[in-house]
Amino acid sequence: MPVENLTPQAVRTVRFAQVLAGANQAKLTLLHVCERRTSPSQMAWIESQLSLMVSKWAPPGKAEIQIHVKPHADVAKAILNASDSADLVVLRSLPRLTSAGTEIGDFTTQLVQQLTCSVVMLGEPQRRPAGVLLNPPQRNTATPV
């Protein structure tokens, strides 16, 4: 999730993971993957912003939370590497609305297929314009006998 513009949806994802980890006395690792050329000072700033967010919204019975900011050229590989010892990965997904319904992106689909642990995906589909029906009701075209 981009730290520069934390959305309410991104915050809800982190909160969900915090509550879930706290309820199960589990360790939580919050991973932010940034570009390889990210400066150490920028990485430290990102980590401080994530720490602030975590401490601000920490639920009662806090879980042990580790924050990792990792520079990596391949986001999927960074997530896969970090998930080696995980029992569960919580992902924020940005599903798209299509004429066939809600669709998960190719990146998320490939990542979920490669993960070797359980996965919870949280996301809210993009909003469609008012008055647009994705699957309009079918008319009965059968003729009475």
Side-chain angles (χ1 to χ4, degrees):
M1 82 185 79
V3 175
E4 296 79 25
N5 53 0
L6 283 174
T7 63
Q9 295 86 356
V11 172
R12 278 195 295 270
T13 302
V14 173
R15 297 257 351 245
F16 173 81
Q18 285 179 286
V19 169
L20 188 61
N24 292 287
Q25 294 83 42
K27 180 177 83 172
L28 173 63
T29 301
L30 180 58
L31 175 67
H32 178 85
V33 181
C34 55
E35 294 182 15
R36 280 191 175 263
R37 64 177 185 255
T38 305
S39 70
S41 63
Q42 180 68 13
M43 289 173 49
W45 180 83
I46 292 169
E47 188 169 341
S48 71
Q49 293 301 301
L50 291 172
S51 293
L52 181 65
M53 178 188 63
V54 165
S55 64
K56 182 177 179 181
W57 289 300
K62 298 178 191 176
E64 177 188 341
I65 300 173
Q66 295 180 348
I67 297 173
H68 296 284
V69 178
K70 302 280 184 187
H72 205 289
D74 187 332
V75 174
K77 282 185 183 176
I79 294 171
L80 289 168
N81 290 342
S83 71
D84 280 343
S85 61
D87 295 320
L88 175 70
V89 171
V90 178
L91 293 173
R92 178 170 171 250
S93 177
L94 299 171
R96 300 182 302 261
L97 286 176
T98 66
S99 60
T102 303
E103 182 178 293
I104 303 299
D106 293 338
F107 171 83
T108 304
T109 301
Q110 290 174 5
L111 180 60
V112 168
Q113 289 172 346
Q114 294 177 37
L115 285 166
T116 57
C117 61
S118 298
V119 178
V120 172
M121 287 195 322
L122 302 176
E124 299 170 19
Q126 299 169 349
R127 302 202 190 288
R128 63 177 174 251
V132 174
L133 287 175
L134 292 179
N135 294 317
Q138 300 295 317
R139 290 186 176 174
N140 185 356
T141 56
T143 50
V145 188

